[in-house]
Amino acid sequence: MARYNPKEVEPRQRAAWDAVDAFAAGPPDDPRPRYYVLEMFPYPSGRIHMGHVRNYALGDVIARYKRARGFNVLHPMGWDAFGMPAENAAMERGVHPKGWTYDNIANMRAELKRLGLSIDWSRELATCDPAYYGQQQRWFLKLWKRGLVYRKEGVVNWDPVDNTVLANEQVIDGRGWRSGAVVEKRKLTQWFLRITDYADDLIEGLKTLERWPEKVRLMQENWIGRSKGLRFRFAFAGYTPTGFADGLEVYTTRPDTLFGASFVAIAPDHPLAERVAAYHRDAAAFIAECRKGGTTEADIETGEKLGFDTGLWVQHPFDPQWRLKVWIANFVLMDYGTGAIFACPAHDQRDLDFARKYGLPVRPVVLPPGADPETFAVGEEAYTGPGTIFKSGFLDGLDVESAKAAAIERIEAQDQGRGATVYRLRDWGVSRQRYWGCPIPVIHCAACGPQPAPDDQLPVVLPDDVTFDRPGNPLLRHPTWRHVACPACGGPAERETDTLDTFVDSSWYFARFTDPKAVEPIDKTAADAWLPVDQYVGGIEHAVLHLLYARFITRALKDEGLMSVAEPFAGLFTQGMVTHETYRTTDAAERWLSPADIETRDGVLVEAQTGVPVTVGGIEKMSKSKKNTVAPEDIFDAYGVDAARLFVMSDSPPDRDVQWTAGGVEGAWRFVHRVWNEFDTQPEGVDIAVDMAGDERAKALRQATHRLIKSVTDSIESFRFNTGIARLYEFLNVLKGAPVAGASPAVLAARAEALQALARLIAPFTPHLAEEAWTRLGHEGLVVQTPWPTYDPALAAEDEVVLPVQVNGKRRWEIRVAAGLEPAEVEKIVLGDEEVTRRLDGLSVRKVIVVKDRIVNIVAG
RNA sequence: GCCCCAGUGGCGAAAUGGUAGACGCGGUAGACUCAAAAUCUAUUGUCGAGAGACGUGCUGGUUCGAGUCCGGCCUGGGGCACCA
């Protein structure tokens, strides 16, 4: 009897899979139904962390399960290989980003292979490979031709640490998503992708994504932020400023409150504000002050409403005699709606704050239900609820929604505006002033303007000979790379030196995986065969960023005819994080300590090296800064890969955070050994066909086996891997209750049947152990090539059930009856039970409720 | 401020409206051992000797029956945030 040794078994079983190329996706004419399972591909930081282990183990369970269920599974892996860390390494350590990246890829590939993932490695790709980003340049130019790419000057988010521009989605709480630096506003000319063209589609599409978490759909919907309202023009009263002969256009979602108008306000960046500033020094000073304020969180929190009276007046659209003042206001945003609003202080808090500060009129026009129209007034809080419109001319008596429609209708009839839909979503700025990214394949000619790089010059390859001794974009200071001939006129021209946001790279890789060597960006036949991805697995942190960009690019490429699906991911699963306790020294320095650096001495937690006492802090996401990480490689060495995989899936539901504990992984490790012992003690050559009838113990084991198959299958199907694993643990306890020692031939046969099932059921979770066990049972082939076990419903069903009997909802005793017994029969048994008189305690039976195979409740009084 | 999610033993967690706490961790006792580790066995929500009672953040309600459904509140987490 040999002790299970993962260090010996695991590499051997991986070699066995490789020898038969077990995980290659089937050829195009494969008759099996296709299933595409994909985890978000990693950034090659150099090492895998526990988050990767969990992410890829979860995906691997699905891939292995689906394969066993007879699917032709595509389960590829690649590298999101462009990005800042490579350049930082170049600047800090003098290594080349390319070398650094490919070294990291080599390391991480080896680590991921060690995890025993059932990946089709023949499809591996890296986004920094010209073979990949060249194809990206191809479709980028196609989208340019389509009008989905444009260049404009605008105020952008500038990350002063990474020295680059960031998209709105990449600014979190006023800081760069990667660097954490406070983002500044800069005016730059940038490349944009017209994601707003698809705003409506992207919202509507969410409704079709039934296998996405509600939470993610909601976040995307909020991010796109569709609102319906009215866009209309105010005519100026008295003086009309130059360039505004058509009036001033505003956007509102509350046209029902137009008779409550108090003033009109424009953004400090509004062209009219600039016009006013041209002849009004105080206005110019006010605008400058607003810009300085910035958009950081703190500024907004304390942000006081500030305004500047332009001295201009406009006419109310429903009453030309009624004049409204035009203010410049710091709370009006230029890049939402039209950058101008009409204010109704009674029914909008911001307008109210502003009106109170500057002594402007507050006119309630929505009467809350039950309020008195004579006395209703607004104090310090605007009324935004439902009600009846009053003091509003032709809108009087209508409810809010009807009044909106009526007001829009009137404005449209007057030809002053139209009902409009406005989005919060902005176009996606994709220019990055960095070296390690996909070059934007454009050539700038002073005479001809920006020109697409000619097809025969693609890919536009990054030059290798660049320097990182100074900040800024190395492409900009490369001596020769930029200088090329204009493809249109042949004159001297310059390459675009901006590279693409790395989120562009990850917006289509799932499509490239369907044929990673295609001569076109996407092989339509392969893409249409495999897409959409049946199950995508990744972190919730990409709920808006990557997942929104990928949906957009998929739609754009579909419209370009490159593939046929509109939604890239039919099913999405967002897994929780791996967390760990944090530790700090109690000395003045309060240093964070790694779990590896602490130990218990005389019952006190101390730093191993110094003996300084340690306090246990919160349970947080594993991170380098808090030092609460555990290196996967160390765990693999100590407990084996299977135990690590098992533990990250066993202790929490996959979508929730899981807390890494030393005790937990030891439990998983014990399970691995106990499973092996059951296989190891089973004698060889047991006759499984022996007659088991009449042997109660054998029958009980067989029933447990078939119930196990059912419950593990159900658990995997519903992504509740933790409960599936719990059933496996439970079953092991059953097996141990029917040991080989002293077993009848029938029990031995039942054990053999149980082990045949068990080896296959654990295969998605602990694949190496499963394979070794399968071999131990004497099979020639591999578990990975063996179908999923099936259960006999008759055996899985209970034949006797214990029914709790309640009296008035309180459990009093229980009876044992045949499963499936009709309620009337059960009632007879219960009422005939001698317990009944004792338990009723003098009460009489009023009613008996029997839920078949579940419970009996006697209502007595 | 708005939107969403979650509160269950010492801990991670189970539980189609039907026996709350499966399974694991930790604890306790025991076996094996010269001893320890490992392993195995039993036990482990609280109170109670026991029968039993009480227990799923608080509070109302629906129901024969509520952790689960509905209303209000509290706490924690996440998202958005001057979006007109």
Side-chain angles (χ1 to χ4, degrees):
Chain A
M1 189 162 110
R3 192 168 166 73
Y4 185 74
N5 180 5
K7 277 189 176 164
E8 185 274 321
V9 171
E10 289 176 351
R12 180 157 48 74
Q13 294 301 350
R14 284 196 292 273
W17 297 328
D18 287 347
V20 297
D21 200 9
F23 310 124
D29 60 354
D30 194 309
R32 295 173 295 171
R34 279 179 283 262
Y35 195 90
Y36 187 177
V37 54
L38 182 68
E39 303 94 48
M40 291 179 185
F41 66 164
Y43 177 80
S45 58
R47 309 233 90 138
I48 63 168
H49 51 67
M50 277 302 169
H52 290 124
V53 173
R54 192 172 194 212
N55 193 178
Y56 298 123
L58 291 173
D60 200 45
V61 168
I62 300 162
R64 286 175 179 274
Y65 170 73
K66 287 290 177 183
R67 229 177 257 117
R69 291 306 295 256
F71 286 86
N72 174 15
V73 171
L74 173 57
H75 187 213
M77 181 61 72
W79 310 97
D80 189 13
F82 273 137
M84 279 305 296
E87 283 189 67
N88 290 338
M91 286 181 274
E92 286 158 20
R93 274 171 281 165
V95 290
H96 194 280
K98 191 193 225 170
W100 183 86
T101 302
Y102 278 101
D103 285 351
N104 285 350
I105 287 175
N107 277 333
M108 284 181 72
R109 185 192 299 116
E111 290 182 334
L112 287 182
K113 284 195 168 176
R114 190 176 175 192
L115 246 184
L117 303 174
S118 62
I119 300 276
D120 182 351
W121 286 100
S122 72
R123 291 173 187 253
E124 181 182 355
L125 58 80
T127 58
C128 65
D129 182 345
Y132 182 85
Y133 70 70
Q135 297 294 351
Q136 184 165 303
Q137 292 169 339
R138 282 214 155 79
W139 66 248
F140 179 87
L141 292 177
K142 283 176 197 278
L143 296 194
W144 192 15
K145 219 167 165 184
R146 254 188 116 65
L148 288 174
V149 176
Y150 66 99
R151 211 164 162 254
K152 78 164 184 204
E153 187 186 46
V155 179
V156 296
N157 308 301
W158 179 263
D159 184 323
V161 168
D162 283 353
N163 280 306
T164 187
V165 163
L166 297 176
N168 291 314
E169 289 80 4
Q170 294 156 21
V171 179
I172 317 288
D173 290 339
R175 292 169 182 274
W177 72 285
R178 223 196 55 75
S179 72
V182 174
V183 166
E184 299 166 2
K185 293 282 170 196
R186 283 206 187 176
K187 218 164 187 179
L188 281 174
T189 300
Q190 298 287 299
W191 290 94
F192 286 86
L193 295 185
R194 231 180 263 285
I195 189 171
T196 53
D197 272 16
Y198 288 86
D200 235 18
D201 277 0
L202 289 169
I203 285 188
E204 294 306 314
L206 290 172
K207 295 183 184 129
T208 69
L209 299 175
E210 284 161 20
R211 291 196 296 117
W212 277 44
E214 183 63 36
K215 184 191 169 96
V216 175
R217 286 188 281 172
L218 212 94
M219 281 166 68
Q220 292 211 357
E221 194 173 334
N222 289 341
W223 185 265
I224 297 166
R226 178 164 60 188
S227 79
K228 295 199 166 156
L230 169 68
R231 199 190 272 265
F232 70 100
R233 290 178 180 280
F234 279 104
F236 283 94
Y239 175 70
T240 299
T242 318
F244 289 88
D246 292 340
L248 176 63
E249 190 174 45
V250 301
Y251 172 74
T252 181
T253 56
R254 295 298 303 271
D256 54 311
T257 64
L258 260 168
F259 284 97
S262 169
F263 60 96
V264 166
I266 60 175
D269 293 322
H270 195 280
L272 178 59
E274 285 173 21
R275 178 81 213 140
V276 170
Y279 59 82
H280 207 309
R281 235 180 14 185
D282 291 348
F286 176 76
I287 291 167
E289 191 61 32
C290 290
R291 284 205 179 127
K292 214 167 68 184
T295 56
T296 66
E297 196 181 16
D299 288 331
I300 291 163
E301 292 268 317
T302 59
E304 197 183 352
K305 303 280 178 291
L306 294 172
F308 180 87
D309 184 351
T310 61
L312 295 166
W313 295 84
V314 292
Q315 292 175 5
H316 193 281
F318 298 147
D319 178 2
Q321 303 308 310
W322 183 357
R323 289 153 45 118
L324 300 166
K325 272 191 169 187
V326 178
W327 289 71
I328 300 170
N330 66 340
F331 69 91
V332 180
L333 305 174
M334 187 56 222
D335 48 6
Y336 184 78
T338 62
I341 62 160
F342 95 83
C344 175
H347 305 294
D348 182 287
Q349 192 59 46
R350 295 154 302 177
D351 297 350
L352 183 63
D353 294 346
F354 192 87
R356 291 284 184 235
K357 175 158 175 130
Y358 292 103
L360 297 161
V362 177
R363 291 181 239 273
V365 289
V366 180
L367 189 66
D372 180 351
E374 297 307 317
T375 58
F376 177 66
V378 164
E380 287 312 301
E381 233 172 85
Y383 180 72
T384 55
T388 310
I389 307 297
F390 72 126
K391 296 181 181 168
S392 292
F394 71 98
L395 297 176
D396 278 354
L398 296 175
D399 62 69
V400 166
E401 287 311 312
S402 317
K404 282 179 184 175
I408 291 171
E409 197 182 330
R410 179 69 64 99
I411 292 278
E412 287 182 349
Q414 291 173 202
D415 205 23
Q416 268 185 277
R418 302 219 75 81
T421 303
V422 161
Y423 302 90
R424 209 187 73 107
L425 183 72
R426 314 267 203 290
D427 277 339
W428 177 14
V430 293
S431 287
R432 295 293 178 274
Q433 291 67 42
R434 304 303 328 169
Y435 164 74
W436 194 234
C438 171
I440 295 175
V442 171
I443 293 162
H444 296 281
C445 172
C448 312
Q451 299 293 319
D455 204 50
D456 59 12
Q457 286 180 28
L458 295 180
V460 174
V461 178
L462 284 172
D464 285 340
D465 52 337
V466 283
T467 56
F468 294 91
D469 48 344
R470 280 171 291 157
N473 186 349
L475 290 177
L476 205 52
R477 55 175 185 261
H478 190 281
T480 55
W481 185 78
R482 290 156 69 195
H483 306 291
V484 287
C486 170
C489 68
E494 287 195 4
R495 282 194 195 285
E496 172 65 57
T497 56
D498 284 354
T499 52
L500 287 172
D501 181 3
T502 56
F503 279 104
V504 177
D505 310 340
S506 55
S507 291
W508 71 290
Y509 76 107
F510 44 86
R512 184 71 187 167
F513 270 142
T514 64
D515 185 351
K517 294 174 181 78
V519 292
E520 285 294 306
I522 295 166
D523 181 282
K524 192 155 188 286
T525 311
D528 288 353
W530 285 109
L531 291 175
V533 173
D534 293 283
Q535 191 59 57
Y536 199 35
V537 185
I540 187 80
E541 67 271 21
H542 288 112
V544 174
L545 290 160
H546 161 60
L547 289 167
L548 185 63
Y549 295 145
R551 294 182 61 225
F552 159 54
I553 293 296
T554 299
R555 285 185 140 74
L557 295 182
K558 169 183 180 272
D559 290 349
E560 186 57 43
L562 270 63
M563 53 182 168
S564 302
V565 298
E567 289 292 343
F569 313 119
L572 171 69
F573 192 88
T574 52
Q575 96 271 5
M577 300 179 300
V578 182
T579 62
H580 198 285
E581 278 182 332
T582 51
Y583 308 101
R584 284 191 114 154
T585 57
T586 52
D587 58 12
E590 293 192 352
R591 285 170 291 121
W592 295 106
L593 292 180
S594 156
D597 294 337
I598 59 167
E599 60 180 48
T600 309
R601 260 181 232 169
D602 306 325
V604 181
L605 217 52
V606 297
E607 183 179 16
Q609 220 178 356
T610 62
V612 173
V614 168
T615 51
V616 178
I619 295 153
E620 299 188 53
K621 179 183 179 175
M622 284 190 178
S623 73
K624 279 182 200 158
S625 61
K626 304 262 167 74
K627 290 199 176 172
N628 60 338
T629 57
V630 172
E633 291 276 318
D634 295 347
I635 300 300
F636 299 164
D637 289 342
Y639 303 101
V641 167
D642 282 342
R645 288 174 56 127
L646 189 65
F647 175 58
V648 291
M649 290 188 281
S650 68
D651 237 26
S652 287
D655 53 344
R656 231 185 286 177
D657 289 354
V658 64
Q659 187 190 341
W660 184 273
T661 60
V665 71
E666 278 168 26
W669 183 72
R670 271 197 289 274
F671 175 76
V672 167
H673 284 275
R674 289 166 59 194
V675 167
W676 175 250
N677 283 341
E678 293 302 323
F679 283 92
D680 202 34
T681 50
Q682 176 78 358
E684 284 174 55
V686 169
D687 182 7
I688 203 163
V690 72
D691 181 15
M692 291 188 248
D695 191 317
E696 283 305 312
R697 297 190 66 172
K699 186 184 171 192
L701 182 53
R702 293 201 69 201
Q703 286 181 321
T705 301
H706 286 260
R707 280 171 205 151
L708 177 74
I709 297 169
K710 179 171 173 14
S711 59
V712 171
T713 305
D714 292 348
S715 296
I716 294 177
E717 289 282 357
S718 58
F719 285 93
R720 295 182 315 179
F721 300 161
N722 55 323
T723 56
I725 292 168
R727 295 288 89 79
L728 290 167
Y729 275 66
E730 216 171 8
F731 184 72
L732 201 66
N733 293 333
V734 173
L735 258 187
K736 286 172 63 139
V740 170
S744 65
V747 167
L748 274 184
R751 272 185 60 94
E753 183 190 20
L755 294 175
Q756 303 279 356
L758 184 61
R760 287 177 284 167
L761 292 174
I762 61 174
F765 306 104
T766 56
H768 308 87
L769 172 65
E771 215 58 83
E772 189 72 2
W774 194 246
T775 308
R776 178 66 182 71
L777 291 175
H779 295 284
E780 293 289 326
L782 299 170
V783 166
V784 294
Q785 297 170 321
T786 306
W788 192 248
T790 53
Y791 64 91
D792 176 350
L795 272 169
E798 307 282 341
D799 38 27
E800 227 184 19
V801 289
V802 174
L803 294 185
V805 183
Q806 299 182 330
V807 178
N808 291 333
K810 295 217 182 276
R811 183 175 169 278
R812 286 302 178 226
W813 81 101
E814 56 190 35
I815 55 169
R816 185 176 278 273
V817 298
L821 195 64
E822 289 308 317
E825 295 296 314
V826 174
E827 184 172 337
K828 241 184 261 173
I829 293 170
V830 168
L831 295 179
D833 195 321
E834 57 186 14
E835 284 279 330
V836 98
T837 37
R838 191 165 82 82
R839 301 290 182 166
L840 280 177
D841 204 24
L843 300 173
S844 54
V845 177
R846 294 213 169 143
K847 193 173 166 191
V848 178
I849 290 153
V850 178
V851 181
K852 201 182 196 177
D853 291 344
R854 275 293 179 187
I855 202 164
V856 181
N857 191 14
I858 302 172
V859 186

